[in-house]
Each structure stands twice: as C-alpha cells, then as structure tokens.
Amino acid sequence: MKPRGIGRGRAPMALTALTVVGAVALALTGAAKPQGGADFQQSGHWVYNAVLGGVFHLDGATGAIDARAEVPEAEAGSPVVQGSTGGYVIGRSRIIEFGKSTLRVERSTPAPSAEAPVTLEVPGGPYVIYRESGKIVWLGGETATVSADGKLGDPVATADGTVWLHRPDNGAVCKLVKGALRLDCPASTPKGQTGALTVVADRPVFVNTATDTVHAIGEAGLGEGVPVGADLPPSARLASTDVDGRIAVLDGAAKRMLLVDIGGPNRTGPPAKPAVVSLPPGDYTDVESSGQTVVVVNKATNAVLTFDRAGKPLRETTMPPGGTRVSRGEDARVYVDSADGGHVVAVDHDGRVTPVPISGDKITSSNQPQPPPAEPTLTGGPGPTTGAGPTTGPRIQPPPKLPPPPRSTTVRPVQPTSAKPPVAPASPPGVPTSVRASSGDRQLTVDWGAAAANGAPVSAYLVTWTSSAGGSSKRVGGGTRSTVLTGLANGTAYTVTVVAENRAGRGPGGQATASPVAPKPQRSIQLSRGTPELYKDDCTHLPDSAKMRVTLRGFAPNTSVKVIPYSSNPRYSNEGRTVRTDANGTHSFEAFHYCQVGRQVWVVADGVKSNTITWERR
C-alpha cells in the first residue's frame, strides 16, 4: 500500500523484529519505558448527555462530576474525546470542539464520514478513526485527516502516542507516530488471513486467528508466531492492551473469553494454556482492559462484567436500558457510557468499579462559573501588618461600627399586616409520568403524562431517542402529551427519554424502550380464469373447460401452503394442491380444471378465501 498523508511526519520509531519464540516472548512481556515528552496525561472522561444538552467531565479517580460545558448543537449518542486543551464531541455530521478551560464551544467542523468511528485518547492526540472509509482524523493541534487508502481494523496505541492500524484487505500494518501526518507501514500480514492488533507490554502485536498465533511487529516485518494454545474464531475481538501480560480474546458467538498467556522472559517451558471464561447468556461484542482488569459488556442485559488476569469474576454492574459505548481513556481507565450519556461506569486499574449517574445538579468543581465575591473597601497609606507582609500599600478597611439604636420610652403595639408570605422560588419540573413508546413501521409513538410544574409552568418537553443506529431529539410544547418519531430503523431497540422544561431549567427524564417493526403484509388470494384445456371425461368442450389461475400474496416466505378449490355446485370436490411461496411470500400457478358454466368458484388457503368468480362460456 502506498500511504498518503498531509504535511511532513517525524522519523519512524525504531523497532526490532524478533524471529525466535523466546525472543518474541521477551519482547512482548518485558518492561516497557514510555518515551519522555512535554505532554501531560489527560485524566478523567468527558461524556455528552443528550437529555441535559451538555458535556460533563467525570473524575475517574473519585467519581465526581467536576465540569460542564453547554454544547447545544451536538447530536444524541455522540462520543466525546479530549486533548490537552480541548474536548471534541464526535457527531455523525459534525465534530464540535469546546475549550476545557473556557467550557465554551470554540469551533465546529464537518465530519469526514457519517459512519460511527473509533476514538483513541493518547499523548499528542486524540484520534478519530473511520474504519470503513479508511480515514484517520488527528485532533491534537490543527485538525488534519490522513487517508489509509482502504478499510481498517480496530486501531491500538502505545504509551508514546503511536497509533497502529491494520488493513485487512492487503494485510498492511501501519503506524502513525505522535505528531506525524503520514503513515509508515513496516509490516504486513499474510493476505486472506484474519486477525487483529493489540498491545502487550506496550509493544504492538498481531493475533492471527487463522493460524492461532501471536506475532511481534518490528521494522523488519512480522515476527515468528507464538501459538496461543486455542482455536480462535475469525470474529474474535481483542482488548486494546494486555491484562497483566495476558491477551483478552472475546469469542462472543461461543459466549466465552480467553486469556492468552504467551510466556515470559523467565519461562523455560511452553506458554501456559489459555484461561477460558464462560460468560452468561447474552450478546457480547465489547472487551477492554484497564491493565489489571478485563471489562466485558453484555448488551442483552446492559451488564458490565469485570474479571482479573486469571479470569476470576470480580463484579457485575447493571446499567440503565439502552445501548452502551466502551472506551479506554488516556488515564488507562475503562469507561462504559450509556447511549444517552446519562450514566457512566468507570473501571480503575485495580478493578475498582464506580457507577456514576450524569446529572447537572452534581457539579463539584470550582472550574464552573461562580458569582464574584464582594469587593472589600481599599484605603491607601500604611497600616498594621501580620506576618511578613508589606508595611505600606492598600489595606482592607473594616466596615465602621454603627452605634446602637437609642432606647425608646414608648412601647407601640405591632400592627397586623396584610403582606402575603414569600413565594418559594421555582425549580425544574418533575419527571414526566407514564412514558410509553408504541411500535410502528419505522416509527415510534411516544406518550407521557404531565410533569409536576414545581413553581413555574412547563414550557416544553424534550424528547430524545438513542440506539446503536444513532439517535436525535425534538422539542414539543408544554401542553403536548404525545409525539411521533419517524425515520427509525425497524428491529432496532430505541431508548426514548422525555424531559420537562420550565424557566428554572430541565428536570429528570422518564424513559421507555421499544423497537419499530415492519407491518406484516396483508395476505390475499387472487383467482381468475386460466388457460383453456380439456380434462378427461368431465370437461370435454372448449373453451368451457379451462384451468383456474391462483396468485398468493403476503404469505409467510418459503412456506408450504395447501390451496383447495370450491364451487357453488355441492357435488364438486377437489383435494387441492400444496405449493411453496418464494422469499417474498408470493406464488402464482394454474391448476384445477373446471367447465361448469354459470357456477361460482373460489379457493381457500390457510384460512384465507379468494375472490369469487362466475364461470362463463367463452
């Protein structure tokens, strides 16, 4: 592959290709020292809450929400990544940048592709990778896009900020060094063989699922393979980095996870057999590592499962209904976001799990705008000091003491007043009650009950819907109790959230989950007169004698159906014919000779009656 790029990249990082099993094991499990640099590690995690319309910063160490930025133009379900000075909301149509210090939107640029991307937070990054279109967007400085000239697999990154990518079509293994805008492709995998990249001991490796081997990646190409000791399916998913020296391999179809031990520098025998972890029934596509802990998500139950390096279960944490997104922050923690951004589960390096609901009323940071303090009165000239402070200059003048009020010798009774008690200030509305979502063809009908006004009339309801296929939102009037969401994907589960608004803000949301369904086609049978044809001794005159033409529509696809003809002549009898519908549930054929002029005929199949026709002489 001939790489393309923008600008001038740095010199390629030197790597050594290892060709013997022992050397491969040493390379993959030896201690790695990240290169030094001026980058500071970006800690915590940003998430976009579609219901509240803002991005929130989660302190991964404490679980506290310590900052919020308003991003009104963001799309529901958008992931958020951060760099050294800014954060980026990655929408399907636009990438919106906000300042981490100003907490304001700085710019908005069109997204290079409408597909759902993979994001990486690494030193010098972040990066957004569009695998289908083969585009890598660098957001570490001025936004730039690098083309890989083909589809990409899941990317990985090492601690120095180098991004590694694999092109499954031609096998090229490429890297993008921190700050570079040009791909360098030092290795290649065998064409036609499946596999994926991961990182072990901060070195990139390729796991070949066709040969069930692990290969170190060096400047001289792909190193000799180390057997993994298990049969890996082509659909296997890998954590982006090792789990204390082991490779976490998710086999979602078999409901199992393998922890592959490829050996170490002090091991004399062959690598140990992989630890095999049986997973509960469910739907598994996501696996990630925080360094010491494996994180797996059961999408069927929205459960976040954690395991140690030996496969021992640690904890199961259930998230609210709806889709989930798994990512690994630059702080090496694993973050699992709910689709609407209303909930995050943070998994620390040591396996500690912190579930955090994202709410606008829990901001704890002084980074948020605060009312200015009252200004003290300043007077010039020298004054008393404390400690080692200056002896001249402005000083704070305490307010003058007021004399006590004069004593009164006349006691006056308190007169009653007609003043009304103070009105309590308004607060955001309550939760909309009885939220329901009814399925239709590519649409959902959402109904809800009124939310408590809490001191101010409800001015609007914000309806947000999210799913694995994307999402959006709409605002309706405060008196509205129903709305229709159109343009949805049939068979996809959508989480719908309804939030009430008044002049004091937005309240909590009520939720419902439903899937649009395509309507079943209406079954019908059309009967008409078919080709004239004589039949034995019963129908010997043309054109009175002819076949019946029968057309079935809307029946179950690829299904056998028995069709029986009937006549107004009580002596008529026919055992019928069994036919098979096509993939669209239709079938047309000619059968059932008939010649009784003036009589009525019809057919019945699976309880469905056709139209009735009168047999005429022609």
Side-chain angles (χ1 to χ4, degrees):
M1 176 182 71
K2 182 180 180 181
R4 290 194 295 144
I6 305 174
R8 180 175 298 172
R10 298 181 182 179
M13 178 180 65
L15 294 177
T16 303
L18 304 176
T19 58
V20 296
V21 172
V24 171
L26 176 62
L28 300 186
T29 59
K33 296 181 180 180
Q35 296 180 356
D39 293 311
F40 293 95
Q41 184 185 74
Q42 306 304 315
S43 63
H45 177 67
W46 290 88
V47 60
Y48 173 63
N49 187 312
V51 175
L52 300 177
V55 291
F56 295 79
H57 183 263
L58 168 65
D59 186 325
T62 65
I65 304 169
D66 54 19
R68 170 177 180 167
E70 301 296 330
V71 188
E73 301 294 328
E75 302 168 52
S78 297
V80 185
V81 291
Q82 62 175 328
S84 57
T85 61
Y88 305 85
V89 184
I90 314 299
R92 294 293 185 99
S93 60
R94 304 196 69 77
I95 298 176
I96 302 175
E97 179 184 357
F98 61 91
K100 291 168 63 174
S101 59
T102 64
L103 298 179
R104 292 195 299 266
V105 172
E106 303 288 344
R107 65 178 60 88
S108 175
T109 57
S113 174
E115 67 180 273
V118 175
T119 59
L120 289 178
E121 288 187 353
V122 296
Y127 293 87
V128 183
I129 293 89
Y130 297 88
R131 292 170 295 178
E132 288 297 313
S133 57
K135 297 183 183 300
I136 306 105
V137 178
W138 176 56
L139 300 172
E142 293 296 327
T143 300
T145 301
V146 179
S147 177
D149 291 331
K151 293 183 179 181
L152 298 168
D154 289 333
V156 297
T158 50
D160 62 359
T162 301
V163 177
W164 291 87
L165 308 119
H166 177 231
R167 273 192 56 179
D169 58 346
N170 63 4
V173 178
C174 305
K175 64 180 179 179
L176 193 61
V177 179
K178 182 178 70 174
L181 295 175
R182 184 176 296 276
L183 288 173
D184 177 31
C185 303
S188 181
T189 63
K191 291 184 179 180
Q193 295 189 357
T194 56
L197 298 174
T198 186
V199 172
V200 179
D202 201 35
R203 295 173 184 262
V205 302
F206 178 75
V207 178
N208 191 324
T209 58
T211 59
D212 299 321
T213 51
V214 181
H215 304 257
I217 299 171
E219 285 297 328
L222 216 60
E224 184 175 341
V226 176
V228 303
D231 183 16
L232 303 181
S235 59
R237 299 292 301 273
L238 310 182
S240 66
T241 188
D242 65 291
V243 190
D244 195 20
R246 291 186 168 186
I247 301 174
V249 183
L250 176 64
D251 183 358
K255 307 294 185 293
R256 66 173 185 164
M257 178 179 65
L258 292 82
L259 293 168
V260 177
D261 186 353
I262 58 171
N266 299 319
R267 191 186 302 275
T268 57
K273 290 185 177 181
V276 180
V277 180
S278 295
L279 300 173
D283 179 16
Y284 299 93
T285 57
D286 295 322
V287 59
E288 192 49 276
S289 164
S290 66
Q292 302 291 327
T293 306
V294 190
V295 180
V296 177
V297 177
N298 185 344
K299 291 185 177 293
T301 61
N302 261 33
V304 180
L305 312 177
T306 54
F307 304 85
D308 66 11
R309 71 179 301 273
K312 177 184 176 182
L314 298 177
R315 183 171 175 179
E316 178 174 342
T317 306
T318 302
M319 299 186 68
T324 55
R325 180 187 303 108
V326 180
S327 62
R328 191 172 192 268
E330 193 174 336
D331 57 5
R333 294 182 177 90
V334 176
Y335 296 95
V336 184
D337 302 348
S338 63
D340 61 359
H343 201 88
V344 176
V345 170
V347 182
D348 217 322
H349 321 97
D350 57 3
R352 180 171 58 92
V353 177
T354 306
V356 183
I358 304 299
S359 174
D361 59 358
K362 295 184 179 179
I363 306 296
T364 60
S365 171
S366 59
N367 195 26
Q368 295 297 312
Q370 302 289 334
E375 295 184 0
T377 303
L378 300 181
T379 60
T385 63
T386 59
T391 58
T392 62
R395 60 188 177 90
I396 299 177
Q397 179 68 34
K401 294 184 178 181
L402 300 177
R407 293 179 179 270
S408 172
T409 57
T410 303
V411 179
R412 300 182 183 274
V414 178
Q415 299 294 326
T417 66
S418 61
K420 297 181 179 179
V423 178
S427 60
V431 181
T433 60
S434 304
V435 177
R436 299 183 308 166
S438 303
S439 300
D441 183 17
R442 297 181 58 81
Q443 67 180 31
L444 294 175
T445 300
V446 185
D447 302 279
W448 62 90
N454 292 343
V458 174
S459 57
Y461 286 93
L462 179 67
V463 182
T464 303
W465 57 100
T466 57
S467 76
S468 59
S472 188
S473 63
K474 66 188 296 188
R475 182 177 279 100
V476 296
T480 304
R481 298 290 179 269
S482 178
T483 189
V484 178
L485 314 180
T486 59
L488 308 183
N490 285 333
T492 298
Y494 286 83
T495 298
V496 182
T497 305
V498 183
V499 173
E501 301 177 349
N502 64 11
R503 58 180 171 84
R506 292 177 182 169
Q511 286 189 335
T513 301
S515 302
V517 293
K520 292 184 178 180
Q522 187 70 30
R523 296 190 302 171
S524 65
I525 305 176
Q526 181 66 35
L527 177 65
S528 60
R529 187 178 176 122
T531 304
E533 185 176 274
L534 299 178
Y535 180 71
K536 296 184 178 179
D537 296 331
D538 300 323
C539 296
T540 58
H541 296 88
L542 293 177
D544 295 353
S545 178
K547 296 179 180 179
M548 300 182 195
R549 180 179 294 114
V550 182
T551 301
L552 309 180
R553 293 188 179 91
F555 284 74
N558 302 314
T559 302
S560 296
V561 180
K562 187 169 185 179
V563 183
I564 301 176
Y566 292 90
S567 169
S568 59
N569 182 355
R571 291 180 295 179
Y572 176 79
S573 170
N574 192 306
E575 64 181 7
R577 171 181 290 192
T578 299
V579 297
R580 187 172 182 82
T581 60
D582 61 15
N584 297 318
T586 64
H587 186 75
S588 183
F589 67 98
E590 288 191 358
F592 317 135
H593 293 83
Y594 198 81
C595 57
Q596 299 175 23
V597 176
R599 294 287 188 173
Q600 292 180 324
V601 291
W602 64 92
V603 298
V604 176
D606 196 21
V608 179
K609 181 181 177 182
S610 73
N611 59 306
T612 300
I613 64 173
T614 301
W615 205 260
E616 298 177 349
R617 174 172 284 120
R618 293 188 177 180

